[in-house]
Amino acid sequence: MDHKVIYVAGLGLIGSSVALGIKRDHPDYTILGYNRSEKSRQIALERGIADEVTDDFTSFAPLADVIILAVPIKQTIAFIEELSRLSLKKNVLITDAGSTKFEIVKAAEHNFRHQPIRFVGSHPMAGSHKSGAIAADVNLFENAYYILTPTSLTTEETIEELKGDLSGLRARFITIDAAEHDRVTSQISHFPHVIAASLMEQAGEYAKEHEMTNHFAAGGFRDMTRIAESEAGMWASILLTNKESVLDRIEDFKQRLDSVADKIKNQDVDGIWQYFSHAKTIRQEMEIHKRGGLDSFYDIFINIPDEEDVILTILELLRGTSLVNLRINEKNRDDIHGILQISFKNAKDQAHAQKVIERHTHYKVMIQ
Ligand code: NAD
């Protein structure tokens, strides 16, 4: 189909960014938008995120070839129920953006079971603490995993069609069963958020009696608790719609804590050594430090001297690129030189960075 009508319900960070991504590869598509608040509707029109907007969820739905529900998880389920009562286009393709998948997929399979509706669950695995259309970013999903969870209302063609519609997001599409998605994300995302919040809560209480706690909290503590600043409402919905898996991870972790406590009580030096050593090996094998959470960023490595303004000079040259991360690799230092590693979202910026730095400085830039 050359021209399609895409209906994005929820012009928040995710919905607006998806809409911009769709427009990038399909400028001929019509994007209709729904949003409760006036502000995001206005921004969406001004920035060309949507061609037309409404505050009535049901009004645009019958016009759409594709409907993208980009609202909180509970509201996504409520909208699925509402859509099942409307007269929609035959074979309309409906998807969502929720961070948990099983309950959404179950609701869609149940509510759409007697209708000519195609449904695929989606979880774009990128985001930020920002919200609303004001934060829309056409590059938000570039190189990020975009998880698709098929349902009984999905065929291979449905998946391919959706990937085609979303091609402008430049994301890495992966198809996985909804329940398995929720299990995996409980381990690597949902449970770590519980731990981060608990650590903050514990430290806050402790600081009331031990005032230096706040002053001494530095690098390691900061790394462990960064995600405790996430949006509380979103995390409440995530935990409550992935209850079993998260509770399972919590129970498992309690046993691990008990086992460390036993080792400490028993003065088990070897046991403690093994515990830390094993964790270190596993982390190194996962190569988490290389990825910054995402696979395959495009890295350059620059041999830089310890001189004033070196990093500022380089950053100035890289203005406007898709730079996502920057670190100094101390391990590779030999006296006066260090390796500055800079990651980009795409190969084009990686190549541009190498060229521009080598042209304007005498530093050697390597791509490994
Ligand atoms: P956001 O706050 O930027 O936008 C949420 C949108 O939902 C807004 O348009 C808001 O008006 C609308 N909304 C909220 N409650 C509503 C209600 N009761 N009725 C109607 N509309 C309502 O949030 P977001 O980050 O764009 O999140 C949207 C979805 O994407 C959520 O399901 C979230 O789980 C998922 N998600 C978020 C992230 C992230 O990091 N922000 C990442 C991946 C997936």
Side-chain angles (χ1 to χ4, degrees), residues 9-17 34-37 40 57 69-76 78-79 96-101 104 122-135 140-141 231 234-235 237-238:
L11 296 168
L13 167 73
I14 300 292
S16 297
S17 302
Y34 153 85
N35 207 68
R36 278 190 313 183
S37 70
S40 280
F57 172 70
L69 303 172
V71 290
I73 300 167
K74 287 285 174 206
Q75 196 55 37
T76 300
F79 279 166
D96 72 304
S99 306
T100 57
K101 297 276 42 97
I104 289 175
S122 296
H123 176 200
M125 285 189 84
S128 77
H129 57 285
K130 297 178 195 160
S131 65
I134 188 88
L140 183 66
F141 307 108
E231 211 262 301
M234 187 170 113
W235 280 95
S237 332
I238 288 174

CSV table of all heavy atoms in Angstrom, one decimal, residues 9-17 34-37 40 57 69-76 78-79 96-101 104 122-135 140-141 231 234-235 237-238, ligand 1:
chain,number,residue,atom,x,y,z
A,9,ALA,N,-2.1,6.8,19.1
A,9,ALA,CA,-2.9,7.2,20.3
A,9,ALA,C,-1.9,7.4,21.5
A,9,ALA,O,-1.4,6.4,22.0
A,9,ALA,CB,-3.9,6.2,20.6
A,10,GLY,N,-1.7,8.6,21.8
A,10,GLY,CA,-0.7,9.0,22.9
A,10,GLY,C,0.5,9.6,22.3
A,10,GLY,O,1.4,9.0,21.8
A,11,LEU,N,0.5,11.0,22.3
A,11,LEU,CA,1.6,11.7,21.7
A,11,LEU,C,2.6,12.1,22.7
A,11,LEU,O,3.0,13.3,22.8
A,11,LEU,CB,1.0,12.9,20.9
A,11,LEU,CG,0.1,12.6,19.8
A,11,LEU,CD1,-0.6,13.9,19.3
A,11,LEU,CD2,0.9,12.0,18.6
A,12,GLY,N,3.0,11.1,23.5
A,12,GLY,CA,4.1,11.3,24.5
A,12,GLY,C,5.4,11.1,23.9
A,12,GLY,O,5.5,11.2,22.7
A,13,LEU,N,6.4,10.9,24.7
A,13,LEU,CA,7.8,10.7,24.2
A,13,LEU,C,7.8,9.6,23.2
A,13,LEU,O,8.3,9.8,22.1
A,13,LEU,CB,8.7,10.3,25.4
A,13,LEU,CG,10.1,9.8,25.0
A,13,LEU,CD1,11.0,10.9,24.5
A,13,LEU,CD2,10.7,9.1,26.2
A,14,ILE,N,7.2,8.4,23.5
A,14,ILE,CA,7.3,7.3,22.6
A,14,ILE,C,6.5,7.5,21.4
A,14,ILE,O,6.9,7.3,20.3
A,14,ILE,CB,6.9,6.0,23.4
A,14,ILE,CG1,7.9,5.8,24.6
A,14,ILE,CG2,6.9,4.8,22.5
A,14,ILE,CD1,9.3,5.4,24.3
A,15,GLY,N,5.2,7.8,21.6
A,15,GLY,CA,4.3,7.9,20.4
A,15,GLY,C,4.8,9.0,19.4
A,15,GLY,O,4.8,8.7,18.2
A,16,SER,N,5.2,10.1,19.9
A,16,SER,CA,5.6,11.2,19.0
A,16,SER,C,6.9,10.8,18.3
A,16,SER,O,7.1,11.1,17.1
A,16,SER,CB,5.9,12.5,19.8
A,16,SER,OG,4.7,13.0,20.4
A,17,SER,N,7.8,10.1,19.0
A,17,SER,CA,9.1,9.7,18.4
A,17,SER,C,8.8,8.7,17.3
A,17,SER,O,9.4,8.7,16.2
A,17,SER,CB,10.1,9.2,19.4
A,17,SER,OG,10.3,10.2,20.4
A,34,TYR,N,-3.8,11.2,18.8
A,34,TYR,CA,-4.7,11.4,19.9
A,34,TYR,C,-3.9,11.8,21.1
A,34,TYR,O,-2.8,11.2,21.3
A,34,TYR,CB,-5.5,10.2,20.2
A,34,TYR,CG,-6.0,10.1,21.7
A,34,TYR,CD1,-7.1,10.8,22.1
A,34,TYR,CD2,-5.2,9.5,22.6
A,34,TYR,CE1,-7.5,10.8,23.4
A,34,TYR,CE2,-5.6,9.5,24.0
A,34,TYR,CZ,-6.7,10.1,24.4
A,34,TYR,OH,-7.1,10.2,25.7
A,35,ASN,N,-4.3,12.8,21.8
A,35,ASN,CA,-3.7,13.1,23.1
A,35,ASN,C,-4.7,13.8,24.0
A,35,ASN,O,-5.5,14.6,23.6
A,35,ASN,CB,-2.4,14.0,23.0
A,35,ASN,CG,-1.5,13.7,24.1
A,35,ASN,OD1,-0.9,12.6,24.2
A,35,ASN,ND2,-1.3,14.7,25.0
A,36,ARG,N,-4.6,13.4,25.3
A,36,ARG,CA,-5.5,14.0,26.3
A,36,ARG,C,-5.2,15.5,26.4
A,36,ARG,O,-6.1,16.3,26.4
A,36,ARG,CB,-5.3,13.4,27.7
A,36,ARG,CG,-6.0,12.1,27.9
A,36,ARG,CD,-6.0,11.7,29.3
A,36,ARG,NE,-4.6,11.8,29.9
A,36,ARG,CZ,-4.3,11.5,31.2
A,36,ARG,NH1,-5.2,11.0,32.0
A,36,ARG,NH2,-3.1,11.6,31.6
A,37,SER,N,-4.0,15.8,26.7
A,37,SER,CA,-3.6,17.2,27.0
A,37,SER,C,-3.4,18.0,25.7
A,37,SER,O,-2.9,17.5,24.7
A,37,SER,CB,-2.4,17.3,27.9
A,37,SER,OG,-1.3,16.9,27.1
A,40,SER,N,0.5,18.7,24.2
A,40,SER,CA,1.2,17.8,23.3
A,40,SER,C,0.5,17.8,22.0
A,40,SER,O,1.2,17.6,20.9
A,40,SER,CB,1.3,16.4,23.9
A,40,SER,OG,2.3,16.3,24.8
A,57,PHE,N,-10.5,9.8,21.7
A,57,PHE,CA,-9.8,8.6,21.2
A,57,PHE,C,-10.5,7.8,20.1
A,57,PHE,O,-9.9,7.3,19.2
A,57,PHE,CB,-9.6,7.6,22.4
A,57,PHE,CG,-9.0,6.3,22.0
A,57,PHE,CD1,-7.7,6.2,21.5
A,57,PHE,CD2,-9.8,5.1,22.1
A,57,PHE,CE1,-7.2,4.9,21.1
A,57,PHE,CE2,-9.3,3.9,21.6
A,57,PHE,CZ,-8.0,3.8,21.2
A,69,LEU,N,-0.9,2.2,19.9
A,69,LEU,CA,-1.3,2.6,21.2
A,69,LEU,C,0.0,2.9,22.1
A,69,LEU,O,0.7,2.0,22.4
A,69,LEU,CB,-2.1,1.6,21.9
A,69,LEU,CG,-3.4,1.1,21.2
A,69,LEU,CD1,-4.0,-0.1,21.8
A,69,LEU,CD2,-4.4,2.3,21.0
A,70,ALA,N,0.2,4.2,22.3
A,70,ALA,CA,1.5,4.6,23.0
A,70,ALA,C,1.1,5.3,24.3
A,70,ALA,O,1.5,6.5,24.5
A,70,ALA,CB,2.4,5.5,22.1
A,71,VAL,N,0.3,4.6,25.1
A,71,VAL,CA,-0.1,5.2,26.4
A,71,VAL,C,0.3,4.2,27.5
A,71,VAL,O,0.8,3.1,27.2
A,71,VAL,CB,-1.7,5.4,26.4
A,71,VAL,CG1,-2.1,6.5,25.5
A,71,VAL,CG2,-2.4,4.1,26.0
A,72,PRO,N,0.2,4.6,28.8
A,72,PRO,CA,0.5,3.6,29.9
A,72,PRO,C,-0.2,2.3,29.7
A,72,PRO,O,-1.2,2.2,29.1
A,72,PRO,CB,0.1,4.3,31.1
A,72,PRO,CG,0.1,5.8,30.8
A,72,PRO,CD,-0.3,5.9,29.3
A,73,ILE,N,0.4,1.2,30.3
A,73,ILE,CA,0.0,-0.1,30.1
A,73,ILE,C,-1.5,-0.3,30.4
A,73,ILE,O,-2.2,-0.9,29.6
A,73,ILE,CB,0.9,-1.1,30.9
A,73,ILE,CG1,2.3,-1.0,30.5
A,73,ILE,CG2,0.4,-2.6,30.7
A,73,ILE,CD1,3.3,-1.6,31.4
A,74,LYS,N,-1.9,0.1,31.5
A,74,LYS,CA,-3.4,-0.1,31.9
A,74,LYS,C,-4.3,0.6,30.9
A,74,LYS,O,-5.3,0.1,30.5
A,74,LYS,CB,-3.6,0.5,33.3
A,74,LYS,CG,-3.0,-0.3,34.4
A,74,LYS,CD,-3.9,-1.6,34.7
A,74,LYS,CE,-3.2,-2.5,35.7
A,74,LYS,NZ,-3.5,-3.9,35.5
A,75,GLN,N,-3.9,1.8,30.4
A,75,GLN,CA,-4.7,2.5,29.5
A,75,GLN,C,-4.6,1.8,28.1
A,75,GLN,O,-5.6,1.8,27.4
A,75,GLN,CB,-4.2,4.0,29.4
A,75,GLN,CG,-5.1,4.9,28.7
A,75,GLN,CD,-6.5,4.9,29.3
A,75,GLN,OE1,-6.6,4.8,30.5
A,75,GLN,NE2,-7.6,5.0,28.5
A,76,THR,N,-3.5,1.2,27.8
A,76,THR,CA,-3.4,0.4,26.5
A,76,THR,C,-4.5,-0.7,26.5
A,76,THR,O,-5.2,-0.9,25.6
A,76,THR,CB,-2.0,-0.2,26.4
A,76,THR,OG1,-1.1,0.8,26.4
A,76,THR,CG2,-1.9,-1.0,25.1
A,78,ALA,N,-7.2,-0.7,28.3
A,78,ALA,CA,-8.6,-0.1,28.3
A,78,ALA,C,-8.9,0.3,26.8
A,78,ALA,O,-10.0,0.2,26.4
A,78,ALA,CB,-8.6,1.2,29.2
A,79,PHE,N,-7.9,0.8,26.1
A,79,PHE,CA,-8.1,1.2,24.7
A,79,PHE,C,-8.4,0.0,23.8
A,79,PHE,O,-9.1,0.1,22.8
A,79,PHE,CB,-6.9,2.0,24.1
A,79,PHE,CG,-7.0,3.5,24.5
A,79,PHE,CD1,-5.8,4.3,24.4
A,79,PHE,CD2,-8.1,4.1,25.1
A,79,PHE,CE1,-5.9,5.7,24.7
A,79,PHE,CE2,-8.1,5.4,25.4
A,79,PHE,CZ,-7.0,6.2,25.3
A,96,ASP,N,1.2,-1.7,20.0
A,96,ASP,CA,1.3,-0.8,21.2
A,96,ASP,C,2.8,-0.5,21.5
A,96,ASP,O,3.6,-0.6,20.6
A,96,ASP,CB,0.7,-1.6,22.4
A,96,ASP,CG,1.6,-2.7,22.9
A,96,ASP,OD1,1.9,-3.5,22.0
A,96,ASP,OD2,2.0,-2.7,24.0
A,97,ALA,N,3.1,0.0,22.7
A,97,ALA,CA,4.4,0.3,23.0
A,97,ALA,C,4.8,-0.1,24.4
A,97,ALA,O,5.8,0.3,24.9
A,97,ALA,CB,4.6,1.8,22.8
A,98,GLY,N,3.9,-0.8,25.1
A,98,GLY,CA,4.0,-1.0,26.5
A,98,GLY,C,5.3,-1.8,26.9
A,98,GLY,O,5.8,-2.7,26.2
A,99,SER,N,5.8,-1.5,28.1
A,99,SER,CA,7.1,-2.1,28.5
A,99,SER,C,6.9,-3.5,29.0
A,99,SER,O,7.9,-4.3,29.2
A,99,SER,CB,7.6,-1.3,29.7
A,99,SER,OG,7.8,0.1,29.3
A,100,THR,N,5.7,-4.0,29.3
A,100,THR,CA,5.4,-5.4,29.6
A,100,THR,C,4.5,-5.9,28.5
A,100,THR,O,3.7,-5.1,27.9
A,100,THR,CB,4.8,-5.7,30.9
A,100,THR,OG1,3.6,-4.9,31.1
A,100,THR,CG2,5.8,-5.3,32.1
A,101,LYS,N,4.5,-7.2,28.2
A,101,LYS,CA,3.8,-7.6,27.0
A,101,LYS,C,2.7,-8.6,27.2
A,101,LYS,O,1.7,-8.6,26.5
A,101,LYS,CB,4.8,-8.2,25.9
A,101,LYS,CG,5.8,-7.2,25.4
A,101,LYS,CD,5.4,-6.3,24.3
A,101,LYS,CE,4.1,-5.7,24.2
A,101,LYS,NZ,4.0,-4.3,24.6
A,104,ILE,N,-1.0,-7.3,27.9
A,104,ILE,CA,-1.5,-6.6,26.7
A,104,ILE,C,-1.9,-7.5,25.6
A,104,ILE,O,-3.0,-7.5,25.0
A,104,ILE,CB,-0.4,-5.5,26.2
A,104,ILE,CG1,-0.3,-4.4,27.3
A,104,ILE,CG2,-0.8,-5.0,24.8
A,104,ILE,CD1,0.7,-3.4,27.0
A,122,SER,N,4.3,-4.6,20.8
A,122,SER,CA,5.6,-4.0,20.5
A,122,SER,C,6.2,-3.4,21.8
A,122,SER,O,5.4,-2.9,22.7
A,122,SER,CB,5.4,-2.8,19.6
A,122,SER,OG,5.0,-3.2,18.3
A,123,HIS,N,7.5,-3.5,21.9
A,123,HIS,CA,8.2,-2.8,23.0
A,123,HIS,C,9.4,-2.1,22.5
A,123,HIS,O,10.4,-2.8,22.3
A,123,HIS,CB,8.5,-3.8,24.2
A,123,HIS,CG,9.3,-3.1,25.3
A,123,HIS,ND1,10.1,-3.8,26.2
A,123,HIS,CD2,9.5,-1.8,25.6
A,123,HIS,CE1,10.6,-3.0,27.0
A,123,HIS,NE2,10.3,-1.8,26.7
A,124,PRO,N,9.3,-0.8,22.2
A,124,PRO,CA,10.6,-0.2,21.7
A,124,PRO,C,11.5,0.0,22.9
A,124,PRO,O,11.1,0.7,23.9
A,124,PRO,CB,10.0,1.2,21.2
A,124,PRO,CG,8.6,1.3,21.7
A,124,PRO,CD,8.2,0.1,22.4
A,125,MET,N,12.6,-0.6,22.9
A,125,MET,CA,13.5,-0.6,24.1
A,125,MET,C,14.5,0.6,24.1
A,125,MET,O,15.7,0.5,24.0
A,125,MET,CB,14.3,-1.9,24.2
A,125,MET,CG,13.4,-3.0,24.7
A,125,MET,SD,14.3,-4.5,25.1
A,125,MET,CE,14.8,-4.2,26.7
A,126,ALA,N,13.9,1.8,24.1
A,126,ALA,CA,14.6,3.0,24.2
A,126,ALA,C,13.7,4.0,24.9
A,126,ALA,O,12.5,3.9,24.8
A,126,ALA,CB,15.1,3.5,22.8
A,127,GLY,N,14.3,4.9,25.5
A,127,GLY,CA,13.4,5.9,26.2
A,127,GLY,C,14.3,6.9,27.0
A,127,GLY,O,15.5,6.9,26.8
A,128,SER,N,13.7,7.6,27.8
A,128,SER,CA,14.4,8.5,28.7
A,128,SER,C,13.5,8.9,29.8
A,128,SER,O,12.4,8.5,29.9
A,128,SER,CB,14.9,9.7,27.9
A,128,SER,OG,13.9,10.7,27.8
A,129,HIS,N,14.0,9.7,30.7
A,129,HIS,CA,13.2,10.2,31.8
A,129,HIS,C,12.2,11.3,31.3
A,129,HIS,O,11.4,11.8,32.0
A,129,HIS,CB,14.0,10.7,33.0
A,129,HIS,CG,15.0,11.8,32.5
A,129,HIS,ND1,16.1,11.5,31.8
A,129,HIS,CD2,15.0,13.1,32.6
A,129,HIS,CE1,16.8,12.6,31.5
A,129,HIS,NE2,16.1,13.6,32.0
A,130,LYS,N,12.4,11.8,30.1
A,130,LYS,CA,11.6,12.9,29.6
A,130,LYS,C,10.3,12.4,29.2
A,130,LYS,O,10.1,11.2,28.9
A,130,LYS,CB,12.3,13.5,28.4
A,130,LYS,CG,13.6,14.2,28.7
A,130,LYS,CD,14.2,14.7,27.4
A,130,LYS,CE,15.7,15.0,27.6
A,130,LYS,NZ,16.4,15.1,26.3
A,131,SER,N,9.3,13.3,29.1
A,131,SER,CA,8.0,12.8,28.6
A,131,SER,C,7.3,13.9,27.8
A,131,SER,O,7.7,15.1,27.7
A,131,SER,CB,7.1,12.4,29.8
A,131,SER,OG,6.8,13.5,30.6
A,132,GLY,N,6.2,13.5,27.1
A,132,GLY,CA,5.5,14.4,26.3
A,132,GLY,C,6.0,14.7,24.9
A,132,GLY,O,7.2,14.3,24.6
A,133,ALA,N,5.2,15.3,24.0
A,133,ALA,CA,5.6,15.5,22.6
A,133,ALA,C,6.8,16.4,22.5
A,133,ALA,O,7.6,16.4,21.6
A,133,ALA,CB,4.4,16.1,21.8
A,134,ILE,N,7.0,17.3,23.6
A,134,ILE,CA,8.1,18.2,23.6
A,134,ILE,C,9.4,17.4,23.5
A,134,ILE,O,10.4,18.0,23.0
A,134,ILE,CB,8.0,19.1,24.9
A,134,ILE,CG1,9.1,20.2,24.9
A,134,ILE,CG2,8.2,18.3,26.2
A,134,ILE,CD1,8.6,21.4,24.2
A,135,ALA,N,9.5,16.2,24.0
A,135,ALA,CA,10.7,15.4,24.0
A,135,ALA,C,10.9,14.5,22.8
A,135,ALA,O,11.8,13.7,22.7
A,135,ALA,CB,10.7,14.5,25.3
A,140,LEU,N,15.4,8.5,18.4
A,140,LEU,CA,15.3,7.9,19.7
A,140,LEU,C,15.6,6.4,19.6
A,140,LEU,O,16.2,5.8,20.5
A,140,LEU,CB,13.9,8.1,20.4
A,140,LEU,CG,13.7,7.5,21.8
A,140,LEU,CD1,14.6,8.2,22.8
A,140,LEU,CD2,12.3,7.7,22.2
A,141,PHE,N,15.0,5.7,18.6
A,141,PHE,CA,15.1,4.3,18.5
A,141,PHE,C,16.2,3.8,17.6
A,141,PHE,O,16.3,2.6,17.4
A,141,PHE,CB,13.8,3.7,18.0
A,141,PHE,CG,12.6,4.2,18.8
A,141,PHE,CD1,11.7,5.2,18.2
A,141,PHE,CD2,12.4,3.8,20.1
A,141,PHE,CE1,10.7,5.7,19.0
A,141,PHE,CE2,11.3,4.3,20.8
A,141,PHE,CZ,10.5,5.3,20.3
A,231,GLU,N,10.5,7.2,36.4
A,231,GLU,CA,9.1,7.7,36.7
A,231,GLU,C,8.3,6.7,37.5
A,231,GLU,O,8.1,5.5,37.0
A,231,GLU,CB,8.5,8.0,35.3
A,231,GLU,CG,7.5,9.1,35.4
A,231,GLU,CD,6.1,8.6,35.5
A,231,GLU,OE1,5.6,7.9,34.6
A,231,GLU,OE2,5.4,8.9,36.5
A,234,MET,N,5.1,4.8,35.9
A,234,MET,CA,5.4,3.8,34.9
A,234,MET,C,5.9,2.6,35.5
A,234,MET,O,5.5,1.5,35.1
A,234,MET,CB,6.4,4.4,33.9
A,234,MET,CG,6.7,3.5,32.7
A,234,MET,SD,7.7,4.4,31.5
A,234,MET,CE,9.1,3.5,31.5
A,235,TRP,N,6.7,2.7,36.6
A,235,TRP,CA,7.3,1.5,37.2
A,235,TRP,C,6.3,0.7,38.0
A,235,TRP,O,6.4,-0.5,38.1
A,235,TRP,CB,8.6,1.9,37.9
A,235,TRP,CG,9.6,2.0,36.9
A,235,TRP,CD1,10.1,3.1,36.2
A,235,TRP,CD2,10.3,0.9,36.2
A,235,TRP,NE1,10.9,2.7,35.2
A,235,TRP,CE2,11.1,1.4,35.2
A,235,TRP,CE3,10.2,-0.5,36.4
A,235,TRP,CZ2,11.8,0.6,34.3
A,235,TRP,CZ3,11.0,-1.3,35.5
A,235,TRP,CH2,11.7,-0.8,34.5
A,237,SER,N,3.2,0.4,37.1
A,237,SER,CA,2.4,-0.4,36.1
A,237,SER,C,3.3,-1.6,35.7
A,237,SER,O,2.7,-2.7,35.4
A,237,SER,CB,2.0,0.4,34.9
A,237,SER,OG,1.8,1.7,35.1
A,238,ILE,N,4.5,-1.3,35.5
A,238,ILE,CA,5.4,-2.4,34.9
A,238,ILE,C,5.4,-3.6,35.9
A,238,ILE,O,5.2,-4.7,35.6
A,238,ILE,CB,6.8,-1.9,34.6
A,238,ILE,CG1,6.7,-1.0,33.4
A,238,ILE,CG2,7.8,-3.0,34.4
A,238,ILE,CD1,8.0,-0.3,33.0
B,1,NAD,P1,4.7,9.9,28.2
B,1,NAD,O1,4.3,10.3,29.6
B,1,NAD,O2,5.6,10.7,27.5
B,1,NAD,O3,3.3,9.8,27.3
B,1,NAD,C1,2.2,9.0,27.8
B,1,NAD,C2,1.1,9.3,26.9
B,1,NAD,O4,-0.1,8.7,27.4
B,1,NAD,C3,0.7,10.8,26.9
B,1,NAD,O5,0.3,11.1,25.6
B,1,NAD,C4,-0.5,10.9,27.9
B,1,NAD,O6,-1.3,12.0,27.6
B,1,NAD,C5,-1.1,9.6,27.6
B,1,NAD,N1,-1.9,9.1,28.8
B,1,NAD,C6,-1.5,8.9,30.0
B,1,NAD,N2,-2.5,8.4,30.8
B,1,NAD,C7,-3.6,8.4,30.0
B,1,NAD,C8,-4.9,8.1,30.2
B,1,NAD,N3,-5.4,7.6,31.4
B,1,NAD,N4,-5.8,8.2,29.2
B,1,NAD,C9,-5.4,8.6,28.0
B,1,NAD,N5,-4.1,9.0,27.7
B,1,NAD,C10,-3.2,8.9,28.7
B,1,NAD,O7,5.1,8.3,28.3
B,1,NAD,P2,5.9,7.5,27.3
B,1,NAD,O8,7.3,7.3,27.8
B,1,NAD,O9,5.7,7.9,25.9
B,1,NAD,O10,5.2,6.0,27.5
B,1,NAD,C11,4.2,5.5,26.7
B,1,NAD,C12,4.3,4.0,26.7
B,1,NAD,O11,5.5,3.6,26.2
B,1,NAD,C13,4.1,3.3,28.1
B,1,NAD,O12,3.3,2.2,27.9
B,1,NAD,C14,5.5,2.9,28.5
B,1,NAD,O13,5.4,1.8,29.3
B,1,NAD,C15,6.1,2.7,27.1
B,1,NAD,N6,7.6,2.8,27.1
B,1,NAD,C16,8.2,3.9,27.7
B,1,NAD,C17,9.6,4.0,27.7
B,1,NAD,C18,10.3,5.1,28.3
B,1,NAD,O14,11.5,5.0,28.7
B,1,NAD,N7,9.7,6.2,28.5
B,1,NAD,C19,10.3,3.0,27.0
B,1,NAD,C20,9.6,1.9,26.3
B,1,NAD,C21,8.3,1.9,26.4
